[in-house]
Amino acid sequence: MMVKKAVKRIGKGLLVMLALLVVWMLIPRLAGFLFPEKAPIGYHFETLDYLAIGVGLEKLVDLKPEVPDGIESFKDIEYKAVNGKSLQLDVYKQKGLTEKAPLLVFIHGGGWRSGKRQDYLVYLVYYAQKGYVTATVSYRLKKEGIYPAAVEDVMDAVDFLFRNGETFGYDTSRVALIGGSAGAHLAMLAGYGWENPQRHKVKAVVDIYGPVDMTTPYAQTQFMVTDFIGHPYTEKPELYWDASPAKYLSKDIPPTLILQGTSDNLLPPSQSDTLKLRLDRLGVPNEYHRLPLWPHGMDMAERPNVYMQKKMDAFFEKYLR
């Protein structure tokens, strides 16, 4: 009898836990229906994010959308060659575009060790359809060169794009750099004037959960950061500061849009929090949107992606149109 009662209690406990889990997972969707203009709510735990996708509560964005007939693409354009390796970029624009449009340059993430320029096709196609010219660039990954290789490549790619506005029909006085994670780090360095504040006249920067200060205790021992720098912090602390967008903050840097999930376990939200504070102190125009309970890579999910694009739309309309 005691065993049966114990089994019943355990069964009831499991049912209660299951019911609570279902309620927990339904709350984000219910909040989205009730407050469609608010930032979408996530699930806090990555396991629940995957579960929500698995059971159909959440949808993933199409990372490989078809390029529609109305968009023309210029692919595999070499902007630089290093040690026999061709570094390339792609450009997308509407066919028959008669007026020069703003240029949006997307820089992929991947912890400086993986990823490819086509990863942001979801943005490249959609923003070309919205009337922008879009570009995406490749850069040397960690296995091909430690810091500052990737930064040098992105700077050179941006140089190339500034020189070729007439070729592709975009306005070089209206250029924005957009990146996610490691790509956001590179976008900020290039946009904020890494080692040369006068090199690029970028009009806007979008930071999607990117590292800002590489000298924090967390960054000093984070393996992707130490691999990227190529030296332990104890040996070359100056390199960690040189590689930090925080070093290049000034009152003259471009307006910045920051997008951050509050449950990001890879990039501490404090990095985005402090960037916001520092930009405010300098008087740099900026917008900061925290997406509650979403993890790193949140824009792979449809609801956060749609919300983020709305914020990017408004930001570009304000600073590039």
Side-chain angles (χ1 to χ4, degrees):
M1 290 292 292
M2 293 180 64
V3 174
K4 288 184 178 180
K5 288 182 178 179
V7 170
K8 285 183 178 180
R9 282 198 296 269
I10 292 172
K12 288 180 179 179
L14 290 174
L15 286 174
V16 170
M17 291 177 63
L18 181 59
L20 290 174
L21 177 61
V22 170
V23 171
W24 177 270
M25 294 186 65
L26 289 175
I27 286 174
R29 296 312 306 264
L30 179 60
F33 286 123
L34 295 176
F35 308 103
E37 297 304 315
K38 298 290 185 181
I41 299 174
Y43 302 86
H44 183 59
F45 301 105
E46 288 191 17
T47 302
L48 293 183
D49 290 311
Y50 295 131
L51 182 58
I53 292 167
V55 301
L57 279 175
E58 297 292 340
K59 294 181 180 179
L60 293 176
V61 295
D62 183 0
L63 296 177
K64 296 181 179 180
E66 292 290 332
V67 179
D69 291 338
I71 301 298
E72 59 182 334
S73 59
F74 307 86
K75 297 182 179 180
D76 306 326
I77 304 164
E78 182 176 287
Y79 70 86
K80 175 182 180 180
V82 182
N83 299 325
K85 178 180 176 61
S86 175
L87 293 173
Q88 302 173 342
L89 56 81
D90 302 333
V91 175
Y92 296 81
K93 60 181 290 189
Q94 287 183 1
K95 292 179 179 178
L97 195 64
T98 56
E99 294 184 3
K100 288 186 177 180
L103 173 67
L104 307 183
V105 184
F106 290 88
I107 306 170
H108 72 84
W112 307 281
R113 56 173 45 218
S114 63
K116 55 188 183 300
R117 66 181 184 275
Q118 296 84 358
D119 290 345
Y120 275 162
L121 196 58
V122 60
Y123 292 122
L124 296 163
V125 170
Y126 293 165
Y127 275 98
Q129 289 177 304
K130 294 173 183 178
Y132 296 91
V133 177
T134 61
T136 179
V137 307
S138 294
Y139 53 87
R140 280 173 289 174
L141 302 175
K142 179 260 174 183
K143 64 183 177 182
E144 298 156 336
I146 58 175
Y147 175 81
V151 192
E152 291 173 343
D153 295 344
V154 170
M155 295 288 282
D156 289 340
V158 175
D159 277 346
F160 178 93
L161 289 166
F162 266 89
R163 292 196 307 270
N164 286 276
E166 292 293 333
T167 303
F168 299 107
Y170 53 78
D171 184 352
T172 55
S173 70
R174 295 183 291 164
V175 176
L177 305 184
I178 307 100
S181 194
H185 165 260
L186 298 172
M188 284 186 281
L189 285 176
Y192 295 166
W194 178 77
E195 294 195 349
N196 186 350
Q198 303 304 316
R199 185 168 172 181
H200 300 139
K201 295 296 184 182
V202 173
K203 292 289 286 185
V205 170
V206 177
D207 161 28
I208 305 174
Y209 46 77
V212 178
D213 188 343
M214 313 286 254
T215 66
T216 64
Y218 171 79
Q220 291 175 22
T221 58
Q222 216 288 335
F223 76 94
M224 282 186 283
V225 174
T226 56
D227 282 355
F228 170 64
I229 301 297
H231 302 275
Y233 181 81
T234 52
E235 292 181 5
K236 297 278 189 178
E238 69 280 4
L239 286 183
Y240 284 71
W241 182 236
D242 286 343
S244 298
K247 177 180 178 179
Y248 307 97
L249 298 180
S250 75
K251 62 181 179 61
D252 299 317
I253 62 174
T256 300
L257 172 64
I258 310 166
L259 298 162
Q260 175 70 55
T262 64
S263 293
D264 193 327
N265 291 322
L266 184 60
L267 192 286
S270 58
Q271 290 272 307
S272 294
D273 296 343
T274 56
L275 176 60
K276 165 68 175 171
L277 290 172
R278 291 174 179 180
L279 294 176
D280 285 345
R281 291 193 192 109
L282 290 166
V284 176
N286 68 89
E287 296 178 17
Y288 184 22
H289 299 283
R290 290 165 57 92
L291 281 72
L293 305 184
W294 287 103
H296 205 73
M298 59 186 174
D299 46 331
M300 291 181 65
E302 188 176 84
R303 286 196 302 131
N305 190 285
V306 169
Y307 177 82
M308 291 165 65
Q309 286 204 44
K310 286 181 180 179
K311 297 306 177 183
M312 290 164 64
D313 290 345
F315 184 74
F316 295 145
E317 188 68 29
K318 183 174 183 178
Y319 292 106
L320 295 182
R321 288 297 189 179

